[in-house]
Every structure is written in C-alpha cells, then in structure tokens.
Amino acid sequence: MSADPAEPVYRNPVLDADWSDPDVIRVGDDFYLTASSFGRVPGLPLLHSRDLVNWTLVGHALQRLEPESEFAAPRHDCGVWAPSLRHHDGRFWIFWGDPDRGVFQVNAPEIRGPWTRPHLVKAGKGLIDPCPLWDDETGEAYLVHAWAKSRSGVKNRLTGHRMHPHGTELLDEGKVIVDGDRIPGWFTLEGPKLHRHDGWFWIFAPAGGVETGWQGAFRSRAFFGPYEEKVVLEQKDTDVNGPHQGGWVRTPSGEDWFLHFQQRGAYGRVVHLQPMRWGGGGGGWPVIGDDGAPVAEHRRPDLPPQPPAAPATDDDFPGGRPGRQWQWTANPRDGWATHHSADGLRLTCVRTPDAHDLRALPNVLTQRLPGTPCTVEVDLRLDDGEPGARAGLAVLGDAYSWIGLQRGPDGTVRLVHRFAETVADQERDAAPPRPAPGGRARLRVDIDAGARCRFSYDTGDTGDTANTADTGDGAGQGGFRPSGQVFAATPWRWVGALLGLVALAPTGQGHAGTATFTQFRIRIQEKRADR
C-alpha cells in the first residue's frame, strides 16, 4: 500500500504483495529494487522509489526466459531465483540463479534499459542466489552464491569465486567460504548479499527457512575467509515470521536501512523496511530493526517527502496492451493478445488440450494478489466463437477457482464458475451454469482476511433468480449475485497466489473466438488482512 508522506511514520509491509527475495540499491537520489520472478514473463521486475516507502513498477529487465522451449509451459518453481541488483561502472547489473542451468547476468546503461540478453556466467545445477562485488579499493571482483539441494544435493553453504571485472566469467573453480553445517543450529543458509564496509567483507545471508528463519551477517578481513557470524534479525516476540533475505542500502544522509521479505501464505513474500545501524557497542556488527526484532512501524527515512505511490493494479488496457503489472505464466506467443485503437484487453481463445486445468496453461495473464482485503472486478465480453470457448477471472495457485463465460453447444453464452483442488487434475463446477444474455458479465472476487475469496457476478439480467441471497450489493435486483462457496486461495511453490485473466478453447481447427476484458479494478479495503 502507498504511504501518506504527511505521516511521520511508515507501516510495514511497504510492499504488501509477493515481491519475493528483494534486493535494493541507491544511485544518486533514487532507489531501485528487483525481486524473483521465477517462471513468469516478463521477469526481473524493476521498482523505483525516492523515499524507500513508496514504490512504483517501472519495467522489467528480462523480456523472455531462455531457452525458449523450456519455458513454453508454466514452470512456477524454475526460472529466475533471488536476483542481486548492483550499479557499477555506469551500468546497472542483475545476477540471478536459474537452479537448472546456472548463474546468469544482464546489464543496462539505464534502469529502463535497454537490457542485454542473459549471459551465462557459470553453468551448473543448483547454483542459486548469486551476488557480485566490485571492490573499489583493490579493483578485484568477486561473486558468491548458494546451493539448491533439490538440484545439486548440496545446501547450507556459500561458495565464493574471483570474477572477471567485466562480470562475464569466473576466474577460479570456487571455494566454500561459509559452511552452515559447521555452525551449530544453522540450516538452509542461502540468499547471500556481498558488501565491503569498514575494511571488512560482509555477507548478509538468511538461514532457517522462509517461514521460520532469521537474517545472519558474516564478516571477514579476506574474501575467502574465515568468516564469523551473528544473527542480526529474527522474529522474537513479534508477529513477523521468518524475517529475512533482502538488501542493505544507505541514504545520501548516511542512514542505513534493510529491506526484507516475510512469507505470508497465499499472499506470498511481502516486503518490510527495517532501520539499521552499525556498531552501537556490538563490535561493529549491523543492528537491524528494534535491537534485532522487526518493527511494525517506524520513523520515516530522512528523505524528501514523496507523493503516495504503489505498483499499479488497475488497468483499462489502452490499445489492447496490458500494463506493466501483468505477467504471463510462460513465454508468450504471437496472437494471444490483439492490439487495437480502443481500450480493452482482447484475448484470443487459445486452443489447448489442457482446457480442464488452468494451472497447465501458459496463456494466463496474471498479477500479484494484494496482501490486504480487497475487491477485484472486471468486465468481460465473450465474442463470437465456437462451442467450448470460454474466458474469465481466476485466483490461481496449487488450487484455483475462476468465474467467467462459456459458449454452449447451442451457441448461447452462460455464466460458469469452476474450481480445482490441489490434488485434482481437472476442474469441476463450483456453481450451476447460469444465463448470460448478450455474452457479457461483470465479474467480482471479494478477498477477505486469510485470502478467502467470495465470487459473484452481474450479467445485467434482472430475471435471473438463481442464488440471489441478499448480499447488500443489489443481489436479486440486477446487481451482483454470489456464486459458489468461499474459496481459500493457496500459493504455488515459492510463489503467492495470483489473479489471472484467461481465454481458451478445447482442441480443434480454426479460430475459436476472442474475449474482451475492460475496466479491471482492485479496491483495497481499509482493514488489513491477518493483522
């Protein structure tokens, strides 16, 4: 949520949606942040702020995932893991680990690009969470990364390399510089961020798992160690579980701040801002939050006030183009969306053998589920098409539910509402199909605390008396009518639940028709979810 600059304090989370594994830098008076995007396209989101509290999405650094063939279908736990963002030699650099292929980097002269194509710096399975360092004191360059046991059989350790100053290759075979198995009580050490400060090499790295872990700091006089460690942020008696994995940044006035995530189930990994200072009688170690505990609110950073801002959610789709907040669930193909002169998103009803399971479709256009109670609405028109063509609004995860329109065997269009459980391999009806005169409907999902979703619809048909219990919004009088049971949104692996727009059709020959979405809106409710 955006923060009112007139208030002397800010409240966490400052990014209340799934901006997983954030990293942050400052260039001049501007702050930039990137985050994991896994298998969604475009990837590597780029956010901008001038006060560390109000953020806007300004673009993406990765337009397609490579190799193309491997990301032609959804791979929600693959792709871009835990990127590191840096600025060096007049260029922006992002390094990330693809757990199946190795360490990649892209770079650009400006945050908005143009960004280079991905360059493979180190090939190998299980190489994740890389972070570079260009040492201004010596001219040397280094890189540290973690390991994914699912691919390599190795975890809980950090490996360091010398790197060519051009950032294109590593100069040695690497050495384990921190072995978490040798530190009592530490496990799942990952997400390292490498810095030089006060004559030390510093590695900020979390451990203990995303839901229960903590933030550690490691320091050594030499890059290859030995390193000593300290826990610098943990839950303690707060309600912020697993506060860890993020980035340290310093303001022009010399204040230090730390941005990190908190895992919140279906909402994904929301981002908190913590005050940070060095030393304070602790032997020069960083002190994050309230003496190592995350803060719920705090004095704002000493930075010029900025207008309230947040990553965009609403969209009129001018010219048929989706806004920056939208991502496909795999590499998109030509013809999925049609550009035109008016407003509205015109999606082709893509033929697929997987029409029974939205989780398998690459042509679902998604955006993040807000971390606060909200109401999501969109207008839908199902244009001329063949029987079986369908389109709608979905809440996607390991389980999903969607509401929309489908053309029947007799050519008429009906309102349908379907869902699939986590263990099910195909969807089934959540409510009986209903008439949709004119092939139009306004679709709604009310999302309450605990990501509990209540679907409803308005077809403009005052004669539809099915399921018209009084909901306080005109149900039974031509307004919104409730549909089906409450659906509890679920995350995907590493990814929070997503809002999705989809148009599809069963396999066959020829054009199956199109669907047009207009006036996509998200209204945030005042009461915060799970708070």
Side-chain angles (χ1 to χ4, degrees), residues 108-274:
E110 304 290 341
I111 195 68
R112 291 173 174 82
W115 289 87
T116 60
R117 287 189 60 179
H119 174 79
L120 184 61
V121 179
K122 180 184 179 182
K125 287 188 175 294
L127 310 180
I128 59 170
D129 309 351
C131 184
L133 171 69
W134 286 269
D135 188 347
D136 294 334
E137 296 180 18
T138 65
E140 300 273 357
Y142 304 94
L143 183 133
V144 62
H145 69 79
W147 294 86
K149 187 175 182 179
S150 60
R151 271 70 163 190
S152 65
V154 176
K155 73 168 191 174
N156 205 32
R157 65 190 62 171
L158 307 179
T159 295
H161 294 266
R162 293 187 183 277
M163 184 177 71
H164 194 290
H166 290 167
T168 56
E169 61 182 315
L170 304 179
L171 303 179
D172 56 35
E173 294 300 315
K175 175 185 175 183
V176 175
I177 56 176
V178 179
D179 186 346
D181 289 343
R182 296 180 177 271
I183 307 173
W186 285 61
F187 60 97
T188 316
L189 177 63
E190 57 187 351
K193 295 293 181 278
L194 182 59
H195 300 274
R196 262 309 228 153
H197 173 69
D198 197 26
W200 296 85
F201 286 91
W202 289 90
I203 300 174
F204 287 69
V210 296
E211 294 184 351
T212 58
W214 58 90
Q215 178 67 39
F218 299 81
R219 70 179 183 184
S220 174
R221 292 295 186 183
F223 171 70
F224 287 104
Y227 283 84
E228 52 185 324
E229 82 283 343
K230 183 180 178 66
V231 174
V232 293
L233 183 69
E234 56 187 325
Q235 181 172 353
K236 295 189 175 181
D237 60 354
T238 74
D239 64 354
V240 182
N241 60 294
H244 70 298
Q245 188 147 331
W248 160 47
V249 68
R250 176 167 285 179
T251 69
S253 65
E255 287 186 346
D256 294 300
W257 297 86
F258 186 76
L259 282 149
H260 68 91
F261 78 70
Q262 174 200 11
Q263 173 68 42
R264 291 190 57 223
Y267 300 112
R269 300 174 181 181
V270 303
V271 178
H272 293 238
L273 176 66
Q274 302 295 336

Side-chain angles (χ1 to χ4, degrees), residues 369-382:
L369 184 74
T372 58
C374 64
T375 296
V376 182
E377 291 185 9
V378 67
D379 281 330
L380 170 62
R381 183 183 75 239
L382 188 62

